Amino acid sequence: MHHDTERCVRAVRSKDARFDGWFYTAVLTTRIYCRPSCPVVPPKAENMTFYPSAAACQQAGFRACKRCRPDSTPGSPEWNQRADLVARAMRLIADGVVDREGVPGLAARLGYSARQVERQLLAELGAGPLALARAQRAQTARLLIETTALPMADIAFSAGFSSIRTFNDTVREVFALAPGELRARAPKRLGERARATPGVLSLRLPFRAPLNPDNLFGHLVATGVPGVEEWRDGAYRRTLRLPYGHGVVALTPHPDHIGCRLSLTDPRDLTNAISRCRRLLDLDADPVAVDDQLRGDPLLAPLVDKAPGRRVPRTVDEAEFAVRAVLGQQVSTAAARTHAARLVLAHGERVEDPEGGLTHLFPAPRALAALDPEALALPRSRRTTLTTLVGHLADGSLRLGAESDWGEARARLTELPGFGPWTVEAIAMRALGDPDAFLPTDLGIRRSARDLGLPHTPAALTARAAAWRPWRAYAVQYLWATDDHPINSIPA
């Protein structure tokens, strides 16, 4: 979009927040870059230039605006709706892969050479993987500076910097302030921080409005696994398995943000934890684009108008969701929770949760690969499906992470015994994050379609849903919402 100068100028002049994260405005006279909705008086059109990423702005020598904080906008929705090399690379960079494994590790996960990854990122985003990761480190550093009492040295290494000097230089270059000055400019947050629970980070996760939290949180709570997930004091809480340790997160819906409280055993996991929480709640979606497309169907339009901004509830752990999808085959939501809870008690890793009732991490594929199939209270065919799945996940022959190619992952899943269209598409929708995943064989979808006057046989409904592409996963949420199932409402 940043190449469409006229459209970008109109967005800046109207201070349209819908375009935050889609592009960034760099002002040639001040050498400052902003988000489109920056509250200051817009510069003259001839003094504006546009970039596709904060990293590209920084690489071109522009500093972040201190009013609109452009580095903290919602992420570009492009990386959620695409599965090409650049989109997959951006999802991995957001997960902190470059900080942990370097550019060679990023390239290896994607199956390309480091040179090819660098070339494609530069061509589309104006910045290579190192520059993109550096911009993310700067954002993480500012978050820690402003919301914690950690010493600056601890913040530097927690944010992924290799030295304190690099940390200081980057913060000064990106924000035109020293780390200490950044902290001094946030007195209110410092006061809140002083009263906060030790070891707990409190932050706000931004999103593009509108956001309807009912099905989002309702689905997560109704399907939650005891010991791993819970609803407590108006927040969805769950345990997280992270690269350096583990954590507990509490996510609370608010009108203009999602409150996020994180307790981490290793602060180096902050970037990854935030990325997973944003993905879980689909916070980088563009709800206006989605809803505009779905309103084109006159039978869907009333559902969209009634409760716009529905998101697709996703997952913090792709392998976990795949296992739970198998456990949920042809059984009720309550039965699926029971099966999952048994696995957790038998094979999950125990954790401490002083603030609630969480007790375990969901077991990793390697732990489940050693389970005795006869100990599973499942039909024999489903035991085979589950053990085959965890075997492939454990040995790495099946990968469902942010680096996955959606088409290839679907093909690999289809090859496994017991994986029909419903299971494959459920994993594509919630684990892989494909916004066009569709479940025409789902009984709830077929019932809703019939009640609305839509075709309700799988073939006919799939044909009708062609007009909803590439947002069929969101159409699924609107169709499910016509039922009075607990997944559609937040607990009282």
Side-chain angles (χ1 to χ4, degrees), residues 159-170:
F161 290 95
S162 58
S163 70
I164 297 174
R165 179 176 180 179
T166 304
F167 160 71
N168 287 329
D169 291 346
T170 300

Side-chain angles (χ1 to χ4, degrees), residues 166-180:
T166 304
F167 160 71
N168 287 329
D169 291 346
T170 300
V171 170
R172 285 194 183 97
E173 182 180 338
V174 173
F175 305 115
L177 292 168

Side-chain angles (χ1 to χ4, degrees), residues 21 34 73 336 370:
C34 303
T73 60

Side-chain angles (χ1 to χ4, degrees), residues 5 49 53 57 114 150 172 236 248 253 266 284 312 329 331 358 362 409 424 426 447:
T5 301
T49 187
S53 66
C57 294
L150 288 172
R172 285 194 183 97
Y236 165 76
V248 172
D266 192 317
D284 291 325
V312 178
Q329 289 177 334
V331 298
L358 303 179
F362 196 89
V424 171
R447 183 168 56 247

Side-chain angles (χ1 to χ4, degrees), residues 438 440-441 445-446 449-450 454-464:
F438 192 50
T441 61
I445 294 298
R446 294 179 64 185
R450 183 190 63 233
L454 290 164
H456 57 275
T457 63
L461 183 57
T462 299
R464 175 66 173 259

Side-chain angles (χ1 to χ4, degrees), residues 30-385:
T30 62
R31 306 302 296 176
I32 288 172
Y33 74 94
C34 303
R35 62 170 80 187
S37 63
C38 184
V40 303
V41 177
K44 295 179 180 178
E46 59 266 27
N47 291 331
M48 298 185 211
T49 187
F50 305 102
Y51 290 92
S53 66
C57 294
Q58 294 168 19
Q59 193 157 279
F62 294 92
R63 303 187 310 275
C65 174
K66 296 171 185 175
R67 282 286 299 276
C68 70
R69 300 161 62 96
D71 57 309
S72 60
T73 60
S76 172
E78 269 197 289
W79 317 134
N80 286 349
Q81 68 191 53
R82 290 166 43 184
D84 57 15
L85 174 60
V86 171
R88 290 155 55 206
M90 289 300 292
R91 291 197 288 269
L92 286 172
I93 292 170
D95 274 352
V97 166
V98 172
D99 292 335
R100 296 192 303 272
E101 303 173 22
V103 176
L106 172 69
R109 283 179 176 245
L110 294 168
Y112 287 81
S113 69
R115 185 175 181 181
Q116 178 72 352
V117 173
E118 178 100 23
R119 183 186 300 118
Q120 292 215 25
L121 287 172
L122 280 170
E124 184 161 344
L125 294 170
L130 288 177
L132 291 161
R134 176 179 178 268
Q136 181 167 276
R137 284 195 295 273
Q139 180 182 345
T140 302
R142 179 163 77 173
L143 182 65
L144 290 170
I145 289 169
E146 294 182 340
T147 62
T148 76
L150 288 172
M152 293 299 177
D154 291 348
I155 290 175
F157 295 114
S158 297
F161 290 95
S162 58
S163 70
I164 297 174
R165 179 176 180 179
T166 304
F167 160 71
N168 287 329
D169 291 346
T170 300
V171 170
R172 285 194 183 97
E173 182 180 338
V174 173
F175 305 115
L177 292 168
E181 292 174 307
L182 269 180
R183 179 165 279 178
R185 285 172 62 92
K188 183 178 179 181
R189 290 189 179 88
L190 283 174
E192 293 172 350
R193 184 177 65 235
R195 298 189 298 271
T197 305
V200 176
L201 302 175
S202 295
L203 51 141
R204 298 155 69 102
L205 303 181
F207 56 76
R208 293 176 183 83
L211 181 143
N212 187 314
D214 293 351
N215 75 301
L216 186 58
F217 285 88
H219 202 124
L220 295 173
V221 175
T223 60
V225 179
V228 175
E229 301 164 281
E230 69 173 0
W231 179 259
R232 181 181 292 266
D233 299 329
Y236 165 76
R237 304 179 74 249
R238 70 155 293 151
T239 57
L240 302 171
R241 184 182 299 279
L242 299 165
Y244 295 105
H246 65 265
V248 172
V249 65
L251 298 164
T252 308
H254 295 283
D256 61 347
H257 70 279
I258 300 295
C260 176
R261 282 171 53 82
L262 275 167
S263 175
L264 305 173
T265 57
D266 192 317
R268 291 177 295 176
D269 283 322
L270 177 63
T271 297
N272 186 266
I274 293 173
S275 173
R276 294 190 187 192
C277 291
R278 294 194 64 82
R279 190 179 306 145
L280 171 71
L281 302 180
D282 196 18
L283 297 185
D284 291 325
D286 184 348
V288 174
V290 172
D291 290 351
D292 284 350
Q293 177 83 6
L294 298 183
R295 281 193 185 96
D297 190 313
L299 296 181
L300 276 186
L303 301 181
V304 177
D305 292 336
K306 180 181 178 181
R310 292 193 183 276
R311 301 299 208 270
V312 178
R314 295 203 166 114
T315 183
V316 296
D317 187 320
E318 296 85 359
E320 173 191 318
F321 183 81
V323 170
R324 291 170 61 173
V326 171
L327 296 176
Q329 289 177 334
Q330 300 178 357
V331 298
S332 67
T333 299
R337 294 181 70 202
T338 299
H339 289 315
R342 289 172 181 164
L343 277 188
V344 167
L345 288 174
H347 303 280
E349 180 182 340
R350 290 196 63 85
V351 299
E352 296 295 326
D353 177 25
E355 296 189 348
L358 303 179
T359 58
H360 289 79
L361 298 173
F362 196 89
R366 288 187 179 180
L368 293 176
L371 62 80
D372 178 8
E374 298 301 320
L376 298 172
L378 298 171
R380 186 171 299 277
S381 61
R382 198 160 312 139
R383 294 180 202 171
T384 301
T385 300

